Amino acid sequence: MTTRVLPAGDAAWLVELPERIDPEVNGRAIAIARAIEHAPLPVTDVVVGYRSVMVYVDPLADGAGAVPAALERIAADPGTQGATASRQIDVPVCYDDPYGPDLADVAAFAGASVEEVIALHLAREYRVFVVGFVPGFAYMARVDPRIAAPRRASPRLKVPAGSVAIAAGQTGIYPAPTPGGWHLIGRCPIRPYDPSRPAPFLLHAGDRVRFHRLSAEEYRAASQWGDA
């Protein structure tokens, strides 16, 4: 698998992998990131993307000049080419009214019923490719192509926190009230990001996620959002 190490300003380097949304490519990016984190380099942050790793360094630190060559070696190391360990996470979601306001639109796109859309969303295991946009927002793929509706023509100015959404073949959970253009099909009662928890992030790149269905009553009993 081809990799490139490119400068990204005076204090960062980018490790690029083949340009596609692919579990193998993403798994290797995660493996490279973990190897960099454990290397004796003046690294200040490592950020994993779908098919890249951004490496931030202290340009004034001892050893900063050796970083690009070290990144080349790590990217070429056979030890970073295998699959990385991953967690399987079960995430509850309620599709009942009023939590899935765009279910009817997705059903129209799919030429299916609302219950068929829900069944297709529940049927798959999703890989977390990357976490970003806002803290805790996990981009998960791929949804069944029958319900892979494009983004909404008119984004919402404020999406409720906990909303479970799909767009362009991906699914995700909004961790905070934010603008958003994805189709809202349900609501998760668990906070994807909570800085007061010992482990603030519910999901990490490389995790495997399955959704399971809650009734509206079960959602209200479990909700961490104060909307019970």
Side-chain angles (χ1 to χ4, degrees):
M1 190 181 298
T2 303
T3 60
R4 295 195 305 167
V5 177
L6 304 170
D10 60 356
W13 295 87
L14 181 69
V15 181
E16 278 195 339
L17 288 84
E19 188 174 356
R20 60 179 186 266
I21 299 178
D22 179 278
E24 181 183 2
V25 173
N26 183 247
R28 189 171 176 198
I30 293 170
I32 290 171
R34 289 177 179 170
I36 294 170
E37 289 170 344
H38 291 90
L41 298 169
V43 171
T44 58
D45 198 8
V46 179
V47 181
V48 178
Y50 281 93
R51 35 77 60 171
S52 64
V53 182
M54 182 67 82
V55 184
Y56 295 91
V57 303
D58 178 355
L60 302 180
D62 292 341
V67 167
L71 297 182
E72 295 276 8
R73 287 195 298 273
I74 291 172
D77 187 337
T80 62
Q81 298 182 25
T84 57
S86 62
R87 304 181 304 164
Q88 200 276 318
I89 310 291
D90 289 318
V91 176
V93 54
C94 178
Y95 300 93
D96 296 348
D97 289 336
Y99 304 121
D102 296 332
L103 273 169
D105 291 341
V106 177
F109 169 85
S113 69
V114 165
E115 284 299 320
E116 287 170 328
V117 170
I118 295 169
L120 290 170
H121 188 249
L122 288 168
R124 289 199 169 190
E125 180 179 86
Y126 302 98
R127 177 187 179 85
V128 177
F129 278 85
V130 63
V131 178
F133 166 53
V134 291
F137 188 96
Y139 289 82
M140 297 177 271
R142 291 182 178 269
V143 304
D144 188 289
R146 287 169 284 182
I147 59 172
R151 293 171 59 89
R152 287 169 49 87
S154 299
R156 290 181 170 86
L157 296 178
K158 186 176 181 180
V159 171
S163 293
V164 176
I166 60 175
Q170 301 181 86
T171 187
I173 309 166
Y174 284 86
T178 68
W182 291 24
H183 299 275
L184 310 185
I185 62 170
R187 188 80 58 84
C188 173
I190 300 173
R191 293 179 181 271
Y193 172 67
D194 184 348
S196 68
R197 289 194 305 240
F201 294 94
L202 175 66
L203 302 172
H204 298 269
D207 287 345
R208 295 172 290 113
V209 173
R210 292 200 75 97
F211 292 104
H212 67 269
R213 189 173 187 175
L214 296 182
S215 67
E217 181 178 335
E218 290 171 325
Y219 169 84
R220 288 191 287 269
S223 177
Q224 299 175 353
W225 300 107
D227 57 353

